[in-house]
Amino acid sequence: MLSFRNICNIELRKLVYRKDMWIMLTMLAIPALYSVGIFFNSSVIVFTGTEKEYGMSFIVNMFNFVNAVYIYYFILSLVSVRSLGGEIENKSILLYTQRINNRPKMYFAKIYSLITAFFMICIAFLVVTLVMYYTFAIQREDLVTKQLFKVEELAGLFLFFLCIVLIYIFTITFSVMLSVFFKTNTAVIIFSIVLIGSMFLSKFPVIQYLSVTYYISKFAELDLTRTSEAVKLFIANASLVALYSLIFSVIGIRKFERRDL
């Protein structure tokens, strides 16, 4: 029987050959184009801040810009749904069940490999953004500085970045669960409706705390030097995503164990 590690390695190799997973890498173009736009003083690039950008703030602001595009949530949802649901639909999952008589292990391996692949994309995003910043954007000393980070804001920026990552983890766990119940297109549509609904709920008192997108908007408004407030926001968001992911996993595994393949 294959070990959990071996299954994860197989899943990661599958993701490498997935075209829709490679589309996620187009997010790297956003900080690249933004940096080049700053360098050439493009009229499309508009700075609204009163302070100059520095390395780490530029990375997090670009990642938040990617987060605001939303399309990457839908792409990742599609990748996640196809990871399990696609194999159920085309019956290729039967190749697994012949070698692995442990469906929860298969389910968690799918989620783990998707999260790992996304973390690799995040690392690539950090590297590319930093390289483009210090190659192009840094030439505009009227807008940016050579400083990599500010100690008083470093923790807040890091937690802000992780908060955005958590929404993508929510996307993965929710989408994989949906893939066990519905066909690919239906599952992605349901995810899209829930995501839009979460944004809508974030505008209402009390129930806004149940919205995973609410905490991102609060971080965007926060003075990042207030580390204690940033920690509270992050813990609240992490706890909510962890709770949702646990519920999704329990429901998804139960359905997957009972489903006829």
Side-chain angles (χ1 to χ4, degrees), residues 39 61 82 92 101 110 209 222 232 234 250:
F39 177 75
N61 286 333
R82 285 182 174 176
S92 61
N101 190 25
K110 296 282 186 183
Y209 300 114
L222 184 68
K232 290 177 183 177
F234 174 75
V250 170

Side-chain angles (χ1 to χ4, degrees), residues 238-254:
S239 300
L240 187 65
V241 171
L243 176 61
Y244 285 153
S245 296
L246 176 61
I247 294 172
F248 298 153
S249 297
V250 170
I251 295 174
I253 288 173
R254 286 184 178 179

